[in-house]
Each structure stands twice: as structure tokens, then as C-alpha cells.
Amino acid sequence: MRDIARRIAAIPEIEAVAVCLLFSYLNPGHELRVKDILAAELGEMPISASYEVLPKWKEYERASTTIADAYLRPVVTRQLSAMRGRVADAGIPASTVVIRSNGGEMTLEAAANAPVHMVVSGPTGGVIAGRHVAELTGIDRLVTLDMGGTSTDVSTIVGGKESFTSAFEIEWGVPIQIPMIDIRTIGAGGGSIAWIDNGGMLRVGPQSAGAKPGPACYGYGGQEATVTDANVVLGRIDPANFLGGRMVLDRDAAYRAVERPAEALGRSVEEVAMAIVRIANNNMVGALRSVLIERGLDPREFTLCAFGGAGPLHASDLMDDAGIPRTIIPNNPGQFSAFGFIMTNARVDRHRTTQLTSKRFEAARARDIVEGLVREGLQELKAQGYQQDIDVFRSLEMRYLGQNYELELPIAIDALEDGAADRLWDQFHEAHRARFGFNIPGEIIEIVNYSATVVSRTEKPEFHRLPAAGGPPQPVGRRAVRFVDSTCDTPVFDRASLAAGHVITGPAIVEEAASVTVLGPRHRLIVDDYGNLMIAAAHQP
């Protein structure tokens, strides 16, 4: 190893090292010794050891996750160091944290030491914010839809809990198996480009115009028709009131951009603009089905939470297309993910693979593994300065012997006590039937992975209540807006002027600085006490 380390040191292009030994998840001694030798020979070069990154079986997934961590460490270390310097130069005394892929927060130092835990951290903010809105409004089942400029992210919150996964792949099918909120992403955003395929069919995305040149209506040189251009043509976005009037859009450029595919298809510009919006909606319905129907969840039991700058534009259509009966448009939907970042808790997830079966079960060994993970989580939080309001959650990933998939089973603190094993197996049988529709009583059960989550609940801001409405809402204008079935003379409302209890029956447009809510002709909107826009079918009580 010392010879290998010297050879690594002689190659200036190498900035980090990943170490992964075949069975280090069972016995990390050799792997940690390799890391010590490399550290002694390579000085400050970052070294990622698989036991510290992902101490679980399946060496390919463990290796790819560790390699990703090592690849990111030099870049992230430089970026966070620069961030720390800028915060200090600005004289900001508050602590600075970044969000993890599991929806928790961690200090800059912790992030630099484990950057792989930020791989898909950006979209998690909206899910965290959605969970708090669900708690505030008493919504038990929420599906979040975050539509921005280039993509749409969807996830679910059931019973006040986010959906988590460790089965995630980045580009080219590379697995990254860290604990993260289960978010599905598709290439559907305001900047998604409309194009005609070789068969003469209109498509939308996944290609995006990005921020620059962006949609044609931005005036930065974009020529391709995008979803945003289509919404401008349809009257859903007011070119003179984009970003609260700080940016004026070019409606003629949007019209010309949509005109090109319209001529190729032999349709009117308005027809093709509506087709672009409907195709984008259909793509998003597919994403919603992937987190609902494909997981055995009934869309009719959910409320859609639409945010991002473009989400509220499409929410009313998506309700009808996806069969979701209610929608909530939260306050400041364009900044909703950022709001979620300040609502996070500090969170550490610890996992380990050690196989035990119901036929040869060692309760003491299983208990030692789980409590060891708890201690590691507590120590990591303490090292970051989190010691207050601690919650601990324990779980096991179990399966029937011979299965290729595991079922995560939350367990109480006493579930691994001597004499409690029979209750544990019964809980698994019940959970398996609830999830998959069957169980196999008497079959050998295998415990594969042990998990512990340690959370430090952080201080949260108070939610502002709106004053009660003193009369009906007053529109600030009217304009022609194209909907699926017709073009309507549509009232336009300023969201800032709405009060609690205000009711608006569609069709209507509600404008705010960073977004626009389109209310379809068959829908009705009610403003709740906190300013959220609650949308449902007009005939519902």
C-alpha cells in the first residue's frame, strides 16, 4: 500500500482516492488501515473509505457510491470554503448549514467530509416545506410537484412522513445508495423545448432552453418554442407583469417561436400552444403516476401541492388529468424550496449490513448493531453542535429468505430485547401483507440491513395568519385566456390583495411576483387562514 500511495502521489492529476475492500462492511479493519497508510503518504489529499460512506453489502453499489464521494470532495471542499469566506466577509453571525439528500441539514465541515450526501439535495427543500404545509393544514396525503425552468420533481408525503429510498441512479445508470428522499424527476419545465420528431409528431422536452438564451419571450436570443412561450401565447402569463413587472416579456417573439411548429403541423398558433401545454401536462401526469399508482397509492386520496415558478400555471389542468381532487398552492411558490431549507432538522442516517435469520437469531448481536448505529449518529450530531431535542428512529430491512428485495420495518426500542423475536416476525408478516398483498407464515425471515436515524429538531419560524376577508375579492383586470375547451374573458387577481376566506370561481388568474396560478373554468379557489390557495372542483362543498 505504501508503494501504491507513492505512485498515486507522483500523478498530479489525482485529487482524491476512494477505497473499497470486498467485505469491509463486515470487518472494516483492513480498509481503515489502508486509509491510514494512504493518509500518511498523501498528506491532505481527500480519502473516502466505503465503510465510512456506505457500510452495506453489494460491493458494486458500495464502490460506485464511494467513488462518487471521492470525486466530489475536492470540488465541494473548495466551494464550501469559498462560501464560508464570503459569509464571514459579509459579517453574518448565524451558523451556515447545507441541506442533505435525506432532507436534514449539516454544517459546512460535515458536508465537505461527506459530499455524496448532497447529490440530490436541491429538490428536497420543496418536499420538506410540503410536509410542514401538510401538518399545518391537516392534509394526510400530499403529492408534491415542483416545476421550475428545466425539470419537474415529484414526491409524496403520507401520514406526515416523506418517502425515502436508497436505490438511486445518477447519469449512465451509476447507483448512489445513500439515504435520500424519494423524488422522481422528469425533463418538463418552463424552458422545455417543443419539437417535431421524425414521424411528424409534436414533442415537448426533455431538452431545455435553460436560463440563457431561455424561452424566446425572454428576449435573450432564444428561437425555439418552449412551455413558457406557449403560456404567454395562451394569455396565461402577462408579458407586462412577469416577475412583478421587473422583466417585460416579448409576446411577439413567443408567437413567432410557436408559429414555426404550427406551420409545420398545419395548425393555428393557439392550437399548437395549447398542444405544447397539454403534452407537458401529460409528461407530468406520468411522473405523478410513478409515485402514486405504481406504488399502489390512489390519486383520489391525495392533495396536489404545486409550486416552483411554473407549477401553479399547470396545477388546475393536472388535477383533472391525473384524477387528483384537490390542490394547494402554497405561499411564495417560486421560493417554496428555499423556504423548506429553513424548516429542516439536523439528521443523520446510519446503515449496516449484518445478516441474521429467524432460524438463527441473536437478539444481543442485533441489539448491539442498532445501538451502535444510534451512538454513531448521536456523536456525529454532537460534533456538529446539535444536542437538543433529539429523536431516534430504528428500523430493519427484512425479507423472506430467497427474496431479492427487502422491506423496511420500523421498530421500537424494545423490539430486539430477549424474548421479543416472535413479535418481530409477526410484525414483518403483517407489513409484508400490507405492502405486497400476501405473506408466508412459517417461512424463514432474513434481516439484511440495520438502520438508525437520529434527528435534532431545530427552531422553526411561526406561520403568519391572514386577516379575514371583509368582502368579495376584487379583480385588478381582465384578459382573454385560452383554456382546453374555450377562450374566456378571465378576471385577474393580485394574490397580495387576497384575504382569508376569499372565494374565487374559475376561470380566473391569480398573479404574484414569481408565479401565476391558473384556475380552470370547472374549479373553485378558497384562501385559507395562512394564505394558501385551496383548489377543488367547483361543485364540491
Side-chain angles (χ1 to χ4, degrees):
M1 279 310 308
R2 294 190 186 281
D3 177 61
I4 292 172
R6 286 189 286 268
R7 289 159 59 191
I8 291 172
I11 304 175
E13 292 81 6
I14 296 178
E15 295 186 71
V17 178
V19 182
C20 181
L21 302 190
L22 191 60
F23 291 105
S24 63
Y25 70 92
L26 288 176
N27 184 345
H30 288 171
E31 186 171 276
L32 296 180
R33 179 62 181 141
V34 168
K35 180 182 178 181
D36 289 342
I37 294 172
L38 290 170
E41 297 290 337
L42 300 177
E44 298 299 318
M45 182 177 291
I47 302 167
S48 298
S50 74
Y51 181 78
E52 296 172 337
V53 175
L54 184 71
K56 298 173 67 173
W57 69 345
K58 299 182 179 179
E59 64 275 6
Y60 175 74
E61 290 83 355
R62 179 160 42 94
S64 65
T65 303
T66 306
I67 290 168
D69 186 78
Y71 182 87
L72 291 168
R73 287 182 78 167
V75 177
V76 170
T77 298
R78 289 192 292 268
Q79 289 180 337
L80 295 184
S81 177
M83 181 191 298
R84 189 183 298 107
R86 292 178 65 183
V87 170
D89 292 344
I92 299 174
S95 61
T96 305
V97 298
V98 295
I99 197 167
R100 305 168 67 120
S101 300
N102 66 5
E105 67 180 36
M106 57 182 171
T107 63
L108 298 184
E109 291 74 17
N113 290 329
V116 74
H117 288 280
M118 297 187 295
V119 167
V120 289
S121 61
T124 63
V127 183
I128 297 300
R131 187 191 71 204
H132 284 275
V133 168
E135 293 173 354
L136 192 70
T137 56
I139 297 173
D140 184 66
R141 295 189 166 218
L142 194 75
V143 56
T144 63
L145 183 135
D146 179 0
M147 184 181 182
T150 60
S151 64
T152 295
D153 305 303
V154 295
S155 190
T156 58
I157 299 160
V158 178
K161 296 182 180 179
E162 309 92 322
S163 175
F164 287 87
T165 184
S166 59
F168 181 79
E169 293 181 351
I170 56 174
E171 285 81 359
W172 308 292
V174 177
I176 303 294
Q177 293 204 339
I178 60 168
M180 62 180 68
I181 294 177
D182 189 2
I183 299 172
R184 312 291 173 87
T185 301
I186 62 168
S192 293
I193 294 172
W195 54 285
I196 299 174
D197 66 15
N198 292 334
M201 301 294 290
L202 182 65
R203 305 293 183 103
V204 178
Q207 306 95 322
S208 175
K212 286 193 177 181
C217 62
Y218 280 14
Y220 294 141
Q223 301 293 319
E224 304 285 350
T226 68
V227 175
T228 297
D229 294 310
N231 277 313
V232 169
V233 169
L234 296 173
R236 299 181 174 202
I237 296 175
D238 181 2
N241 196 28
F242 194 71
L243 295 180
R246 295 193 302 275
M247 178 178 177
V248 178
L249 301 181
D250 188 339
R251 187 186 187 281
D252 291 338
Y255 191 93
R256 290 192 299 270
V258 179
E259 189 174 36
R260 279 186 283 274
E263 290 178 349
L265 294 168
R267 300 283 185 175
S268 72
V269 173
E270 289 75 14
E271 286 177 321
V272 172
M274 178 56 68
I276 290 171
V277 169
R278 296 192 71 180
I279 292 170
N281 288 344
N282 189 62
N283 294 338
M284 287 185 279
V285 168
L288 290 168
R289 286 174 176 164
S290 74
V291 298
L292 294 173
I293 296 174
E294 291 180 13
R295 291 172 50 201
L297 300 173
D298 188 344
R300 293 170 297 184
E301 298 176 354
F302 278 76
T303 297
L304 176 67
C305 181
F307 52 92
L313 275 161
H314 297 259
S316 196
D317 291 338
L318 291 173
M319 288 174 59
D320 294 334
D321 294 343
I324 299 173
R326 295 165 298 277
T327 288
I328 180 170
I329 309 295
N331 289 295
N332 305 304
Q335 298 84 22
F336 195 61
S337 289
F339 167 69
F341 295 159
I342 65 171
M343 300 300 291
T344 58
N345 297 313
R347 174 180 174 132
V348 173
D349 292 298
R350 282 283 179 265
H351 296 259
R352 189 144 308 148
T353 297
T354 302
Q355 292 169 272
L356 293 173
T357 70
S358 56
K359 195 174 183 68
R360 293 195 177 107
F361 181 63
E362 302 172 42
R365 185 182 180 193
R367 187 167 59 249
D368 287 347
I369 294 169
V370 172
E371 293 313 308
L373 298 176
V374 172
R375 286 193 298 274
E376 290 178 14
L378 290 170
Q379 289 168 2
E380 181 172 336
L381 284 182
K382 183 177 180 180
Q384 296 183 54
Y386 300 101
Q387 300 185 61
Q388 304 296 321
D389 297 319
I390 300 294
D391 294 320
V392 176
F393 306 93
R394 303 163 178 82
S395 63
L396 305 174
E397 292 183 18
M398 306 165 70
R399 64 187 186 182
Y400 290 120
L401 190 65
Q403 285 182 319
N404 288 323
Y405 52 86
E406 295 84 41
L407 178 66
E408 184 175 13
L409 182 70
I411 59 172
I413 190 172
D414 60 351
L416 300 176
E417 295 294 332
D418 294 332
D422 288 341
R423 291 200 306 274
L424 182 64
W425 313 137
D426 289 342
Q427 289 173 7
F428 174 77
H429 289 308
E430 293 170 4
H432 197 281
R433 175 176 287 279
R435 177 65 179 86
F436 300 109
F438 74 97
N439 58 16
I440 313 175
E443 181 60 71
I444 297 174
I445 298 170
E446 183 178 28
I447 303 175
V448 178
N449 295 313
Y450 303 73
S451 305
T453 297
V454 184
V455 176
S456 174
R457 287 177 278 111
T458 58
E459 187 176 357
K460 305 295 189 298
E462 292 186 10
F463 289 87
H464 173 68
R465 288 179 177 266
L466 291 185
Q474 298 300 316
V476 295
R478 304 184 74 90
R479 65 173 179 264
V481 178
R482 177 73 179 262
F483 294 90
V484 173
D485 298 324
S486 62
T487 298
C488 302
D489 180 36
T490 305
V492 178
F493 297 86
D494 177 11
R495 185 166 184 176
S497 69
L498 298 180
H502 268 149
V503 177
I504 300 173
T505 300
I509 298 291
V510 180
E511 294 181 335
E512 55 188 296
S515 190
V516 177
T517 298
V518 175
L519 186 67
R522 294 184 295 274
H523 293 157
R524 183 177 61 185
L525 177 156
I526 300 175
V527 183
D528 76 1
D529 290 346
Y530 297 97
N532 301 301
L533 308 182
M534 315 295 290
I535 301 174
H539 64 269
Q540 289 187 358

